[in-house]
Amino acid sequence: MTLETLSVTRSFGGTVHVVRHDSRATGTPMTLSVFVPPQAESGAPCPVVWYLSGLTCTHANVTEKGEYRRACAELGLIFVAPDTSPRGESVPDDPAYDFGQGAGFYLDATEAPYDANYRMERYIVDELPEVVASAFPIDLARQAITGHSMGGHGALTLALRHPGRYRSVSAFAPIVAPSQVPWGEKALGAYLGPDRATWRRHDAVALIEDGARVPEILVDQGEADSFLARELRPELLEAACHGAGIALTLRMQPGYDHSYYFISTFMEDHLRWHATRLTA
Amino acid sequence: MTLETLSVTRSFGGTVHVVRHDSRATGTPMTLSVFVPPQAESGAPCPVVWYLSGLTCTHANVTEKGEYRRACAELGLIFVAPDTSPRGESVPDDPAYDFGQGAGFYLDATEAPYDANYRMERYIVDELPEVVASAFPIDLARQAITGHSMGGHGALTLALRHPGRYRSVSAFAPIVAPSQVPWGEKALGAYLGPDRATWRRHDAVALIEDGARVPEILVDQGEADSFLARELRPELLEAACHGAGIALTLRMQPGYDHSYYFISTFMEDHLRWHATRLTA
């Protein structure tokens, strides 16, 4: 496995690494950022937080605007931000912002022409931990996952689909029921085909309805988020968790929108919440 | 005075306003961001920190990457980030990144064709406080100034040239002696003409040598900053302050570069330093 280092930058007493590697899951080069806190510089294994970004984003958005390094440096968390899809001239794309490159939806596509590259679930769950562990001292027994919007969908569904893999899961303004909203219907239909039964395996609310479980979930959601009623619909997650006995902490935040001004405000809360569970 | 609101966004319990106005100083529209902390939402006057950005930047760079809102919300500071120059098709420009638009150097140009628009000193010192006070509850008796690189030069020279205006001044990786370094020689020569005696009035080290005083200065400087030896030269400020009895706190930070990864790391320290002096 070869990791190409694109940049190494000192920040908050730790180091931001931007690296690239050839992914066997996606068949493309994939770029990600890894924040290594001061506690890990001696090589001591540290817990890892996987942060999955939303539509149109690369690793760079949260790396520049997420304001996570101060808390990670304090708490001793390695923070990894992967890309949201395979990219490249040979990768099928779409002119819309909400489909194709930048919109992988953290699942393995089964439909042509997407099935050759859009394998983001196996990338995030299997390959990425191996890649990061080859160069950084992450403790694979202590993994947490979080994300924003489409990445919140990714965090919730991957935690539900891989029980025991992640000690804790949270999300910022997640797409909780992609089968029931326009962003999700478009993407799941194209990546997985018309059979909606297959969609349920990549839909947090449907997974819970069908028996998947995590012990608890933290979600922050801005009340002034312009996607709230149409695409996000946290009340559906609330109902599913209530029915399943999952301890959902859903915090509706008055006045907050869908941007990194919202995410950065509550990032520290999420990191502390994960750290408590990762070090228990 | 008319302020056009471009966006209003909730963040850290306060609000980020991006506004535009027609400037009489520059003869152009000028865009800036204003963070209003929760303490100011009742209209109670709050101290203000002016942040002057570096070469190539607009208000957006620090607004997105500066990580200042958490501390400002805690400390009750209004944080204002103006642009670095006049902009527009009618404004003289230069293809280089270090001159013309994005590189106003916080002085009033005297040479054609720059003298018509490049009047950033009067903009920052006179017009901007008036503009911001017309819409936000800033306490003009409690102003602090800081900045990065070219903006650090701006903060230092404006504080030295306007005694009593700013209660405190700090800088991140400032250009301390533009008369003696390539960035400054190019800009001061073009904006002020060939007489180097006029340059001394816009050069922090020369101003101090010529008798200007502030009580104290805080500077953070990364030791891995690629501009350190050629453009920044903090040892010249150290010598000038030593000779003048100015209490300079110069913190050389091992491993840090010139980027917002550096600035954001030490932003909170600067804001606490200013808050202590603004509320004394």
Side-chain angles (χ1 to χ4, degrees):
Chain A
M1 172 154 347
T2 306
L3 268 186
E4 180 189 359
T5 296
L6 303 182
S7 67
V8 178
T9 314
R10 199 90 182 134
S11 193
F12 285 95
T15 311
V16 181
H17 301 254
V18 179
V19 298
R20 184 166 54 197
H21 67 103
D22 290 325
S23 166
R24 62 171 188 269
T26 68
T28 65
M30 294 291 282
T31 300
L32 57 138
S33 79
V34 181
F35 178 67
V36 178
Q39 293 87 340
E41 299 213 332
S42 63
C46 283
V48 59
V49 177
W50 309 104
Y51 176 93
L52 307 184
S53 292
L55 289 168
T56 77
C57 289
T58 68
H59 72 283
N61 303 68
V62 70
T63 306
E64 295 177 354
K65 303 178 187 176
E67 304 197 20
Y68 58 83
R69 285 179 286 277
R70 179 181 167 280
C72 286
E74 177 194 330
L75 299 167
L77 302 174
I78 292 176
F79 187 103
V80 181
D83 205 345
T84 52
S85 79
R87 295 180 192 270
E89 290 188 7
S90 65
V91 175
D93 198 9
D94 189 281
Y97 78 98
D98 58 358
F99 185 67
Q101 295 189 30
F105 272 81
Y106 303 103
L107 52 77
D108 293 348
T110 56
E111 299 297 292
Y114 304 106
D115 54 341
N117 304 111
Y118 286 80
R119 299 178 174 194
M120 288 300 291
E121 178 170 15
R122 74 181 69 180
Y123 176 68
I124 299 293
V125 174
D126 295 331
E127 186 175 8
L128 186 62
E130 187 186 326
V131 166
V132 175
S134 75
F136 303 99
I138 59 171
D139 180 354
L140 291 172
R142 291 185 290 163
Q143 301 182 47
I145 193 162
T146 185
H148 171 234
S149 195
M150 177 185 73
H153 146 78
L156 294 172
T157 54
L158 296 186
L160 287 161
R161 285 170 57 76
H162 301 275
R165 166 64 67 99
Y166 305 103
R167 283 214 197 167
S168 50
V169 55
S170 76
F172 303 86
I175 303 170
V176 303
S179 307
Q180 301 184 51
V181 304
W183 278 342
E185 290 181 306
K186 179 177 183 179
L188 300 190
Y191 293 138
L192 301 175
D195 178 6
R196 284 178 174 249
T198 66
W199 300 13
R200 293 185 67 81
R201 299 201 283 271
H202 300 280
D203 177 306
V205 164
L207 281 162
I208 293 170
E209 288 171 352
D210 294 345
R213 292 292 180 268
V214 291
E216 52 182 343
I217 300 171
L218 171 64
V219 170
D220 275 294
Q221 172 62 59
E223 290 186 352
D225 186 326
S226 58
F227 303 111
L228 175 55
R230 181 176 165 89
E231 304 284 2
L232 306 176
R233 303 182 64 184
E235 70 282 1
L236 298 176
L237 182 65
E238 198 165 34
C241 287
H242 182 75
I246 293 175
L248 170 67
T249 302
L250 171 61
R251 310 195 308 183
M252 298 301 294
Q253 301 290 0
Y256 285 86
D257 71 6
H258 200 64
S259 72
Y260 273 94
Y261 293 108
F262 155 69
I263 300 168
S264 60
T265 299
F266 300 105
M267 180 62 83
E268 180 178 346
D269 287 357
H270 284 241
L271 293 171
R272 290 192 184 284
W273 192 84
H274 288 293
T276 299
R277 285 148 183 86
L278 290 167
T279 56
Chain B
M1 175 158 341
T2 306
L3 267 186
E4 179 188 2
T5 297
L6 303 182
S7 67
V8 178
T9 315
R10 200 89 180 133
S11 194
F12 285 94
T15 311
V16 180
H17 301 255
V18 178
V19 298
R20 184 165 55 198
H21 67 102
D22 289 325
S23 166
R24 62 171 189 271
T26 68
T28 65
M30 294 292 282
T31 300
L32 58 140
S33 79
V34 180
F35 177 68
V36 178
Q39 294 87 340
E41 298 212 334
S42 63
C46 283
V48 59
V49 177
W50 310 104
Y51 177 93
L52 307 184
S53 293
L55 288 169
T56 77
C57 290
T58 69
H59 73 283
N61 303 68
V62 71
T63 306
E64 295 177 354
K65 304 179 188 175
E67 304 198 20
Y68 57 84
R69 284 179 288 276
R70 178 181 167 281
C72 286
E74 177 194 330
L75 300 166
L77 302 174
I78 292 175
F79 186 103
V80 181
D83 204 345
T84 52
S85 79
R87 295 181 191 271
E89 289 188 9
S90 66
V91 175
D93 198 8
D94 189 283
Y97 78 97
D98 59 357
F99 184 67
Q101 296 188 31
F105 272 82
Y106 304 102
L107 52 77
D108 293 346
T110 55
E111 298 297 294
Y114 305 106
D115 54 341
N117 303 111
Y118 285 81
R119 300 179 175 193
M120 287 300 290
E121 178 170 15
R122 74 180 70 179
Y123 176 68
I124 299 292
V125 174
D126 295 331
E127 187 174 9
L128 186 62
E130 187 186 327
V131 165
V132 175
S134 75
F136 303 98
I138 59 171
D139 180 353
L140 291 172
R142 291 185 290 163
Q143 301 182 47
I145 194 162
T146 186
H148 171 235
S149 195
M150 176 185 73
H153 147 78
L156 295 172
T157 54
L158 297 186
L160 287 160
R161 285 171 56 78
H162 301 275
R165 165 64 66 101
Y166 305 104
R167 281 212 198 169
S168 49
V169 55
S170 76
F172 302 86
I175 303 169
V176 303
S179 306
Q180 301 183 52
V181 304
W183 278 342
E185 290 181 306
K186 180 177 182 178
L188 301 190
Y191 292 138
L192 301 175
D195 178 5
R196 285 178 173 249
T198 66
W199 300 12
R200 295 185 66 81
R201 299 200 284 271
H202 300 281
D203 176 307
V205 164
L207 280 161
I208 293 169
E209 288 172 352
D210 293 346
R213 293 292 179 268
V214 290
E216 52 183 342
I217 301 171
L218 171 64
V219 171
D220 275 294
Q221 172 64 58
E223 290 186 351
D225 186 327
S226 58
F227 302 111
L228 175 56
R230 181 175 165 92
E231 303 285 3
L232 305 175
R233 303 182 65 184
E235 70 282 1
L236 297 176
L237 182 65
E238 198 165 35
C241 287
H242 182 77
I246 293 173
L248 170 67
T249 302
L250 171 61
R251 309 194 309 182
M252 298 302 294
Q253 302 290 1
Y256 285 87
D257 70 6
H258 200 64
S259 73
Y260 273 95
Y261 294 107
F262 154 69
I263 299 168
S264 60
T265 299
F266 301 104
M267 180 63 82
E268 180 178 345
D269 287 356
H270 284 241
L271 293 171
R272 291 193 184 283
W273 192 85
H274 288 293
T276 300
R277 285 148 184 84
L278 290 167
T279 56

